[in-house]
Amino acid sequence: MASYVIAVTGASGASYGLRLIEELLRRGDDVDLIISPSGFLLLREETGFTLAPGGGGGADVAETIRAAFKGARGKLGYTPSDELTSPLASGSALKKTMVICPCSMGTLARVATGVSGNLIERAADCTIKENGRLVLVPRETPLSAIHLENMLKLARLGVAIVPAMPAFYSKPETLDDAVDFVVGKVLDVLGVENDLYKRWTGKE
């Protein structure tokens, strides 16, 4: 099975990150999770997950999240975002696939300029320099010229930009349906087969 680095930052849309983790774990894939301080805040405000980011709470964070997903077969590990001695901070760790979901504009800007102030940004930097697969799921509106220029710069480096933009041709009936559409698109970019959304066939 595959292994992924998933980071959750302080952009609104924490449900996207949780749903992505859930689907990968159910497939039997392993996930190394990093959450920024603002990501913890959004998880609490938007999803009700109250987690302890610091100290020895790493196991508790992983266990709390994994316990919420029935049928999860993969392993879930958690590393604090300030732990720059983590193997994820080194290109030699051979972690080649990373998704930042959701991705704040601050995180996106720092990744675009190579400023690595925390483990999320450093792991993203390593993924780029080691020619791995980096996927960013920005959730912001409206977008300024600064945001767009940063996205363009990263796209030209081979980073996949998958904005959290649910479609409506699949006729979503619930908020979960809208979340699944975006997560399905992320999985498509990763080359992971999924049936999270109804694919357009051109026929009614």
Side-chain angles (χ1 to χ4, degrees):
M1 292 297 177
S3 178
Y4 300 90
V5 179
I6 305 296
V8 175
T9 69
S12 181
S15 293
Y16 294 119
L18 287 178
R19 185 69 180 91
L20 175 62
I21 294 167
E22 178 182 19
E23 191 63 20
L24 292 173
L25 292 178
R26 282 182 174 172
R27 284 173 39 85
D29 296 327
D30 295 337
V31 172
D32 287 301
L33 174 63
I34 314 169
I35 307 173
S36 73
S38 296
F40 278 103
L41 175 64
L42 266 293
L43 281 166
R44 186 184 71 222
E45 294 297 319
E46 296 183 354
T47 72
F49 271 101
T50 300
L51 305 167
D60 291 340
V61 169
E63 289 173 5
T64 299
I65 292 176
R66 194 178 189 280
F69 303 143
K70 295 181 180 179
R73 296 184 293 122
K75 297 178 182 178
L76 176 63
Y78 164 76
T79 305
S81 63
D82 61 354
E83 193 170 310
L84 291 175
T85 57
S86 165
L88 300 179
S90 173
S92 64
L94 297 178
K95 293 290 185 178
K96 298 295 187 181
T97 305
M98 179 177 184
V99 184
I100 305 180
C101 177
C103 182
S104 69
M105 291 300 105
T107 298
L108 190 147
R110 288 185 288 275
V111 172
T113 54
V115 176
S116 299
N118 61 34
L119 183 58
I120 294 173
E121 295 150 9
R122 175 57 185 166
D125 191 16
C126 287
T127 303
I128 293 172
K129 77 183 183 69
E130 298 294 332
N131 295 314
R133 190 62 167 149
L134 178 61
V135 181
L136 305 184
V137 184
R139 210 300 314 161
E140 183 65 271
T141 190
L143 295 169
S144 73
I146 295 172
H147 302 151
L148 294 168
E149 286 173 357
N150 286 334
M151 290 183 201
L152 178 60
K153 180 179 181 180
L154 288 168
R156 285 174 170 165
L157 292 173
V159 176
I161 308 295
V162 185
M165 295 180 177
F168 294 92
Y169 61 78
S170 56
K171 297 180 175 61
E173 296 181 358
T174 67
L175 187 56
D176 286 344
D177 291 340
V179 170
D180 278 356
F181 178 88
V182 172
V183 173
K185 286 292 186 178
V186 173
L187 293 174
D188 286 349
V189 169
L190 295 175
V192 176
E193 292 186 9
N194 70 92
D195 58 358
L196 293 187
Y197 67 97
K198 180 180 179 181
R199 299 181 184 276
W200 178 251
T201 63
K203 301 177 181 178
E204 292 294 333

